[in-house]
Amino acid sequence: MRGLHLTADLFDCADPAGLLSDGARLQQLCEHLTDEAGLTVVGSHFHAFPPGPHGTVGWTGVLLLAESHLAVHTWPEQHAVTLDVFVCNVGQDNSARARRLLDALVARFAPGRAHRQQVERGVTA
């Protein structure tokens, strides 16, 4: 069950493509970038939240990958996004693919600042 878990919390996103509140475009981009990174989408689900006080709609979405998953959550009213990429490294090391996917997604939101974390999963002492 060895794997790599990457997260990114993005703040002050310029969001040049309007992804924070456009679920169809967000899902399409996630699927495209996942494929470009060399990972395999086997399912997906994206959910819109009701408009908040500013009239914006946030999204939560997940791509189920043969290698594990990608999750994305948007807060348009806060210009914020959280990203979560987990890949299993059984049979082959997918770490570079996971990093490529996360880097590509972060770039698309153009955050003013970002906080990234990395956890090696399934490592025994």
Side-chain angles (χ1 to χ4, degrees):
M1 79 169 191
R2 294 186 69 114
L4 179 65
H5 197 160
L6 305 172
T7 65
D9 300 331
L10 312 180
F11 306 94
D12 305 321
C13 295
D15 190 27
L19 299 167
L20 290 172
S21 57
D22 186 335
R25 189 180 301 170
L26 178 61
Q27 181 174 355
Q28 183 179 45
L29 178 69
C30 288
E31 291 173 356
H32 173 74
L33 293 178
T34 298
D35 184 56
E36 272 193 353
L39 298 169
T40 310
V41 178
V42 296
S44 65
H45 185 78
F46 280 67
H47 172 78
F49 289 95
H54 301 1
T56 57
V57 176
W59 286 86
T60 189
V62 64
L63 296 185
L64 181 62
L65 308 179
E67 301 81 7
S68 199
H69 72 263
L70 159 67
V72 58
H73 310 280
T74 72
W75 287 268
E77 71 283 2
Q78 296 179 30
H79 306 282
V81 179
T82 61
L83 300 167
D84 178 323
V85 178
F86 176 59
V87 293
C88 295
N89 288 331
V90 176
Q92 71 177 355
D93 187 347
N94 291 299
S95 299
R97 291 176 183 91
R99 287 185 182 96
R100 192 165 38 252
L101 174 57
L102 189 67
D103 290 346
L105 283 166
V106 169
R108 297 300 170 96
F109 288 103
R113 55 194 173 95
H115 179 251
R116 294 184 185 214
Q117 295 182 329
Q118 170 178 307
V119 176
E120 304 249 352
R121 306 285 304 267
V123 178
T124 58

